[in-house]
Amino acid sequence: MSPPTDNAFAVAPKPLDNIEAVTIRFAGDSGDGMQLAGTQFSDTSALVGNDIATLPDFPAEIRAPAGTLAGVSGYQIQFSSQDIFTPGDAVDTLIAMNPAALRVNVNDLRPGGIVIVNEDAFVEKDIRKAGFSANPLEDDTLARFTVHRVKINSMTEKAVEGLGLSNREAGRCKNMFALGLVYWLYDRPLDATLNFIAAKFAKVPNVAKANTRALKAGHAFGETAEMFASHYHVDKARLAPGTYRKITGNEAAALGLITASRLAGRDLLYASYPITPASDILHEISRLKKTGAMTFQAEDEIAAVGAAIGASFAGLLGATGTSGPGVALKSEAIGLAVMTELPLVIVDVQRGGPSTGLPTKTEQADLFQAVFGRNSECPVVVLAPCTPADCFQTVIDAFRLAVRYMTPVMVLSDGYLANGAEPWRFPKLADLEPIRIPAAGQNGHEHFLPYERNADLSRPWALPGTPGLEHRIGGLEKEDVTGNVSYDPANHEHMVRLRAEKVSRAHIEGRELIWYGDDSGDLLLVGWGSTYGAIAASVRRARKKGLKVSHCHLRGLNPLPAGLGEKMKKFRKVLVPELNLGQLCLILRARFLVDARELSKVQGQPFTISDITSGIDAALEEK
Amino acid sequence: MSANTKAADVPVLQPKDFASDQDVRWCPGCGDYSILAQVKKVLAKIGARPEKTVFISGIGCSSRFPYYMNTYGFHSIHGRAPTFATGVKVANPELSVWIATGDGDGLSIGGNHLMHVIRRNVDVNILLFNNRIYGLTKGQYSPTSEHGKKTKSSPMGTVEWPVRPLSIALGAEATFAARAIDVDVKHLEYVLERAATHRGTSFVEIYQNCNIFNDGAYGYATDRTAKPDNVIYLEHGKPLTFGRDAAKGIRLHNLRPEVVNVEEVGPDDLLIHDEQAREPSLAYMLSRMRYPEFPEPVGVFRCVDAPCFDTQVRDQVREAQAKAGDLDFDSIIAGPETWTVA
């Protein structure tokens, strides 16, 4: 890359230091383009071969008042030459576009860390708005850190001069200046972002040119300015050989649904009502109509699940996606799918609650809702992906179980998985096992029997349009075998037990849990869902220290993996880290009579590795 | 309808061929029996096939309808039948999809979905059995009960005002909106056949007598002596007349309907019914005409052509597929950017 300066030759290259892993965070106003800068940095880091893990963290308001603490949007990424599990505990480098961004994020910076501040934004009014009594750049607020004061606003304005941009348009390029500077600091190429700019602003060439200039100007500033003594290089990660892409949890869920449809040979209808943080699944599938996938933006959550069930009744793969409040609204319809025994996949991208709660923040508090949250005895299968890319495999598993057992399956993703990104060694379609659907027929009976069961206790999926298989289903209790409406007391208990037994068999063989460590010891950590990375990293550290700690991560939550009780009983203690008040822990205690203990965090933020490490230490210390 | 065929090799079905083996469990004397009979008659007449016909319902007396049809059927949850029907129709636009609903199911708990299924013009036939009372829950007032109606839940009379189902359907841009009366069987059959053959959402309000909880609610429209003065049969292109010997008519005066004596004003002054008018304003005005101030129109209020939701959803997918050509599915999984680790 050539910096856009005519006398670049005058500058001697600065030293390049090799380091293993870095955590950086871009922070600014929600209109400052921090999510875009962070995404671009992640894309580039993945493309140069680092392992990455990301944590976008933004407010629910689209544009909170400028300069306020409420409006601060952040994007954290850890990139490494090693296999990493989390977006990082402490931040090595913070880019703060204004005083509010500095105030909200500075406590996460490690002592000695780098903070790059947009000096132009540190004016009296915004300093006060951020709650500082004095300019933090002038007192000892930042004494523990290496502070670089960069006039990002004015240098960006200068870089884009002469392109005929309004002040507002020029100001919007400042994220690219900051990104360019950080690219220099961590020795990243500009190509991917330059290509992105060219494609995104193809129709507005002067805006494309302005962003390009700002990006290059930031990069050149790093190289030429006196303030940076050296910069850093992070080698390629030693990932398993293969072809990779970057993927977020929502992208992976969308791809998984479409792929399941291919594997089953049935069209997909994804019906959904927009809700944070699940909407991107709807956007992604809508964009991929060329695969044959159909989407339906329904009038509400109930209509979305209704349409998915209707589509399923008529032979499609019916799926819906939402977040916790949406699941609450869909509950009655999910009960109908349990009663009518139709396949259905519900992706619940969990967020902080109750009620509207924290729409853009992560939480794992819908486990009870997924397992128990419907009237009467109403079992569904519940699965949970453990990384962003794992959402792909999990929704395919969900459909495999849904059509085999003719049952709704709930997939518990969350905001952290949905928006977080990681490198993914993606499979080819031919590598994936087809989804087989048992044929429905009259089986020699005079009338088709819609509730006759196969060896899996599953009823036939007979599609409207097929002569001879006409039948009626509904929410009233069914007579076994015939499916006729029945109020018979013994039949009801029989059917309740039958539905429970059927779902209790719906295991995802071989993928129900991930185990790390010995099968007995002092402490077993049992986790589920998005806490995988933090638990895995902490357990590895603990074992390096010689502690007898193992990790069991559940992908199947209902039914629970076979033999789980015996596995837990081989440990002196069981600790269950969850982003809720101990929901899985309660289920494990009730089901297996083990003295499992909670490790809870309910702050809308994922566990850090040190959160779990402290939990491990405390559990082992306690006699 | 695409689902209906009369090919020579397909046996001609009789109305009874559409009956399931289940005993009908509506109260003796209920208006629903007549509706069930006319629906079966119409299906036989238009050459419908049981395997290509789906009845979907919500909750309530009317919603037991699918159990009595030897077709595919789905008795769903309260108010949500249009949502399931939308999914079925998108899954297979070849199917003839019918929704049986009532004034409580369709207009109270399911009001939202009713509006949207009509707005989208999903190719389904909606039969709204309007008995102006909650039957299955044993006699509470409904969204179409008249103001002041005394019921178990309104012993001093309800203080709510009724909605008019056809006004709501037309407000939601219904491409087909009609009304019929349970005991007026020939006319009911005619309206059902029109609904069945319309492409797009067909909305039919059926005046249905609940002889247990609201007997005689439509006496003014069904009693042989009262009926001629209280009912207008709408016919496309014909003037609006009613009463014995069609002596009375409706004309527009200051944008309002007005009952006139045909002999006095002459036939040229009368309002001519136009079910195909692009603007539904006149149809809406007709939907507002209420006994006793006006005779109540029955027949087809509106019937216009418009693209259907279900086929458009399919068309968009086909268009995207055609544009993409031979799709390499692995390139979809790979996404726009990949890198290789050796």
Side-chain angles (χ1 to χ4, degrees):
Chain A
M1 245 116 310
S2 49
T5 152
D6 291 332
N7 57 351
F9 57 88
V11 185
K14 291 180 180 173
L16 190 62
D17 299 336
N18 244 328
I19 47 176
E20 190 177 284
V22 181
T23 297
I24 64 171
R25 188 184 290 175
F26 293 92
D29 249 339
S30 31
D32 279 347
M34 292 297 97
Q35 298 304 317
L36 180 68
T39 309
Q40 282 300 309
F41 194 92
S42 315
D43 287 357
T44 293
S45 299
L47 286 172
V48 302
N50 295 139
D51 195 5
I52 60 161
T54 73
L55 175 62
D57 186 14
F58 44 89
E61 295 75 19
I62 302 302
R63 293 277 188 281
T68 59
L69 298 174
V72 172
S73 169
Y75 191 106
Q76 181 170 323
I77 165 176
Q78 181 176 202
F79 53 105
S80 172
S81 59
Q82 304 297 317
D83 198 7
I84 50 167
F85 292 95
T86 73
D89 279 16
V91 175
D92 297 305
T93 295
L94 171 68
I95 297 90
M97 299 299 280
N98 67 7
L102 179 70
R103 186 171 175 91
V104 168
N105 292 288
V106 72
N107 289 336
D108 296 332
L109 198 59
R110 70 169 166 80
I114 297 171
V115 54
I116 297 171
V117 294
N118 176 16
E119 192 179 356
D120 291 328
F122 282 71
V123 295
E124 178 67 23
K125 180 180 66 141
D126 284 343
I127 290 169
R128 264 191 288 116
K129 231 189 259 178
F132 289 114
S133 49
N135 188 345
L137 306 182
E138 310 291 348
D139 59 22
D140 56 4
T141 306
L142 304 175
R144 287 176 298 153
F145 312 114
T146 308
V147 182
H148 298 298
R149 302 163 63 148
V150 184
K151 291 183 162 36
I152 294 179
N153 287 3
S154 40
M155 282 196 283
T156 304
E157 278 160 31
K158 218 166 227 144
V160 306
E161 233 170 38
L163 290 173
L165 261 55
S166 67
N167 284 347
R168 191 180 139 80
E169 286 171 324
R172 291 174 80 173
C173 297
K174 63 175 179 275
N175 60 336
M176 286 298 128
F177 185 96
L179 180 62
L181 174 56
V182 183
Y183 273 161
W184 175 81
L185 190 60
Y186 291 105
D187 194 35
R188 325 256 94 179
L190 305 185
D191 319 36
T193 299
L194 289 172
N195 292 341
F196 165 82
I197 291 170
K200 184 174 169 77
F201 300 113
K203 286 187 182 145
V204 270
N206 63 333
V207 176
K209 205 173 262 182
N211 278 284
T212 301
R213 277 201 203 168
L215 183 76
K216 289 184 174 176
H219 193 268
F221 177 78
E223 182 65 33
T224 53
E226 294 296 320
M227 59 177 63
F228 298 97
S230 66
H231 58 157
Y232 308 94
H233 182 77
V234 175
D235 273 338
K236 286 182 184 203
R238 284 181 290 276
L239 299 172
T243 307
Y244 286 77
R245 63 166 289 180
K246 194 197 77 163
I247 197 153
T248 65
N250 276 346
E251 287 168 348
L255 264 186
L257 292 169
I258 292 171
T259 305
S261 150
R262 281 283 158 137
L263 294 172
R266 294 282 175 95
D267 286 340
L268 170 74
L269 178 69
Y270 181 76
S272 183
Y273 184 73
I275 184 170
T276 304
S279 303
D280 280 339
I281 303 175
L282 175 63
H283 305 158
E284 194 64 16
I285 300 176
S286 301
R287 199 176 65 75
L288 291 171
K289 284 193 169 78
K290 61 184 170 192
T291 62
M294 289 178 282
T295 54
F296 172 44
Q297 181 180 314
E299 62 269 26
D300 61 23
E301 295 282 358
I302 298 170
V305 69
I309 294 171
S312 172
F313 174 59
L316 263 57
L317 294 190
T320 185
T322 185
S323 189
V327 174
L329 285 163
K330 294 179 197 293
S331 297
E332 187 192 13
I334 296 170
L336 178 70
V338 168
M339 191 59 135
T340 54
E341 302 189 45
L342 285 169
L344 171 72
V345 169
I346 308 116
V347 181
D348 175 5
V349 186
Q350 301 165 94
R351 66 190 213 188
S355 188
T356 309
L358 310 170
T360 58
K361 311 292 179 188
T362 199
E363 202 161 282
Q364 292 184 300
D366 291 353
L367 180 63
F368 282 168
Q369 180 173 234
V371 178
F372 306 116
R374 289 161 298 281
N375 61 303
S376 189
E377 298 290 348
C378 194
V380 302
V381 179
V382 182
L383 307 179
C386 56
T387 72
D390 189 37
C391 292
F392 177 82
Q393 183 64 57
T394 307
V395 297
I396 294 175
D397 286 337
F399 260 126
R400 206 180 290 284
L401 294 175
V403 300
R404 178 171 172 188
Y405 293 95
M406 295 291 282
T407 175
V409 179
M410 183 113 50
V411 173
L412 290 178
S413 177
D414 62 27
Y416 171 71
L417 294 178
N419 293 317
E422 67 173 341
W424 177 41
R425 191 164 56 128
F426 54 90
K428 288 197 180 305
L429 186 67
D431 302 336
L432 302 166
E433 192 192 332
I435 296 177
R436 270 176 285 275
I437 297 168
Q442 261 173 286
N443 294 340
H445 305 294
E446 189 193 345
H447 292 293
F448 170 62
L449 298 173
Y451 277 69
E452 190 179 37
R453 291 177 195 275
N454 64 17
D456 288 326
L457 299 182
S458 187
R459 75 173 193 89
W461 193 7
L463 311 189
T466 319
L469 303 187
E470 294 87 353
H471 66 283
R472 276 67 58 194
I473 56 171
L476 290 169
E477 181 62 285
K478 299 285 168 287
E479 183 180 70
D480 195 13
V481 184
T482 67
N484 288 331
V485 173
S486 168
Y487 298 97
D488 179 74
N491 176 75
H492 177 54
E493 179 156 345
H494 172 66
M495 293 301 280
V496 165
R497 291 186 183 280
L498 213 158
R499 287 184 287 263
E501 170 64 22
K502 182 182 77 166
V503 168
S504 77
R505 297 181 181 191
H507 294 285
I508 34 169
E509 283 140 32
R511 285 196 289 272
E512 286 185 286
L513 58 82
I514 297 166
W515 189 276
Y516 183 79
D518 302 317
D519 58 9
S520 65
D522 289 330
L523 179 66
L524 177 68
L525 274 77
V526 183
W528 65 279
S530 69
T531 54
Y532 173 76
I535 301 174
S538 320
V539 168
R540 276 159 181 75
R541 285 186 190 180
R543 291 180 63 82
K544 257 185 201 162
K545 285 190 281 185
L547 303 174
K548 292 186 172 118
V549 180
S550 294
H551 177 197
C552 171
H553 212 77
L554 306 183
R555 291 178 78 252
L557 291 161
N558 195 48
L560 286 164
L564 180 63
E566 289 68 46
K567 286 186 168 77
M568 288 191 291
K569 283 168 188 162
K570 290 185 180 152
F571 288 81
R572 202 161 58 80
K573 288 185 171 180
V574 175
L575 185 66
V576 187
E578 291 179 89
L579 300 175
N580 61 45
L581 291 182
Q583 298 189 4
L584 177 65
C585 190
L586 188 69
I587 293 174
L588 295 178
R589 292 176 68 95
R591 285 288 305 280
F592 302 111
L593 282 175
V594 291
D595 188 17
R597 299 298 173 94
E598 301 144 8
L599 177 58
S600 289
K601 179 174 179 178
V602 201
Q603 300 175 3
Q605 297 293 334
F607 279 119
T608 61
I609 296 171
S610 64
D611 288 335
I612 308 285
T613 299
S614 312
I616 291 174
D617 293 345
L620 290 174
E621 264 166 37
E622 195 187 277
K623 285 300 154 205
Chain B
M1 309 219 65
S2 50
N4 308 320
T5 48
K6 274 191 166 172
D9 56 337
V10 179
V12 176
L13 298 175
Q14 301 300 315
K16 65 176 169 44
D17 295 324
F18 286 92
S20 76
D21 60 354
Q22 299 294 295
D23 296 331
V24 181
R25 294 194 191 172
W26 286 315
C27 308
C30 175
D32 291 0
Y33 283 95
S34 164
I35 302 171
L36 180 63
Q38 305 326 309
V39 167
K40 285 190 273 197
K41 207 183 281 180
V42 166
L43 290 179
K45 188 175 171 193
I46 64 174
R49 304 299 310 171
E51 73 273 15
K52 290 195 170 179
T53 307
V54 186
F55 278 86
I56 300 177
S57 62
I59 295 293
C61 293
S62 60
S63 288
R64 298 300 175 97
F65 202 93
Y67 290 119
Y68 308 138
M69 298 296 295
N70 187 31
T71 62
Y72 284 91
F74 201 156
H75 177 212
S76 77
I77 46 177
H78 208 3
R80 319 300 175 193
T83 73
F84 300 95
T86 301
V88 168
K89 194 67 194 180
V90 168
N92 187 353
E94 295 286 300
L95 298 170
S96 168
V97 178
W98 296 70
I99 294 171
T101 184
D103 41 316
D105 186 64
L107 295 167
S108 191
I109 191 166
N112 188 30
H113 308 304
L114 188 75
M115 170 172 98
H116 290 284
V117 73
I118 294 173
R119 169 177 78 81
R120 294 189 181 106
N121 201 32
V122 183
D123 186 17
V124 296
N125 308 310
I126 303 172
L127 310 181
L128 188 140
F129 301 13
N130 184 5
N131 56 19
R132 311 189 74 176
I133 199 79
Y134 279 79
L136 197 66
T137 53
K138 299 190 169 63
Q140 302 82 5
Y141 60 91
S142 90
T144 54
S145 296
E146 59 274 24
H147 183 259
K149 179 150 191 93
K150 288 184 177 165
T151 70
K152 281 179 192 161
S153 58
S154 58
M156 296 170 70
T158 170
V159 292
E160 298 181 16
W161 300 96
V163 291
R164 297 156 198 218
L166 282 168
S167 301
I168 289 189
L170 290 163
E173 312 292 330
T175 56
F176 182 97
R179 180 188 283 149
I181 304 172
D182 55 2
V183 292
D184 196 347
V185 294
K186 276 285 149 206
H187 184 258
L188 173 59
E189 186 188 333
Y190 162 77
V191 167
L192 291 174
E193 186 178 343
R194 288 287 311 274
T197 48
H198 172 72
R199 231 182 133 268
T201 306
S202 306
F203 179 86
V204 183
E205 177 191 14
I206 303 170
Y207 285 178
Q208 175 248 324
N209 190 44
C210 174
N211 56 325
I212 303 296
F213 294 109
N214 203 17
D215 195 23
Y218 296 111
Y220 63 90
T222 54
D223 177 80
R224 203 148 8 129
T225 52
K227 181 178 163 185
D229 288 327
N230 296 329
V231 173
I232 284 193
Y233 286 89
L234 298 175
E235 286 181 81
H236 180 61
K238 301 263 178 72
L240 271 69
T241 59
F242 65 105
R244 271 176 224 298
D245 308 319
K248 290 188 274 187
I250 299 291
R251 76 169 176 189
L252 267 192
H253 182 67
N254 289 338
L255 293 175
R256 289 202 192 96
E258 183 182 53
V259 175
V260 292
N261 185 318
V262 177
E263 214 162 73
E264 279 172 25
V265 301
D268 293 350
D269 254 20
L270 298 181
L271 187 61
I272 307 291
H273 182 51
D274 179 7
E275 64 183 34
Q276 292 162 11
R278 288 315 299 181
E279 249 316 299
S281 309
L282 277 178
Y284 182 79
M285 186 199 80
L286 294 175
S287 77
R288 307 283 301 166
M289 286 167 56
R290 271 282 184 219
Y291 171 83
E293 191 187 357
F294 289 104
E296 295 187 355
V298 297
V300 178
F301 286 57
R302 185 168 201 240
C303 180
V304 295
D305 277 334
C308 299
F309 173 82
D310 36 289
T311 45
Q312 288 185 98
V313 168
R314 290 268 170 184
D315 289 346
Q316 280 196 347
V317 168
R318 267 193 289 272
E319 188 187 326
Q321 285 177 315
K323 210 171 147 195
D326 264 344
L327 185 77
D328 170 17
F329 193 79
D330 286 326
S331 74
I332 299 288
I333 301 181
E337 276 182 306
T338 64
W339 69 97
T340 301
V341 176

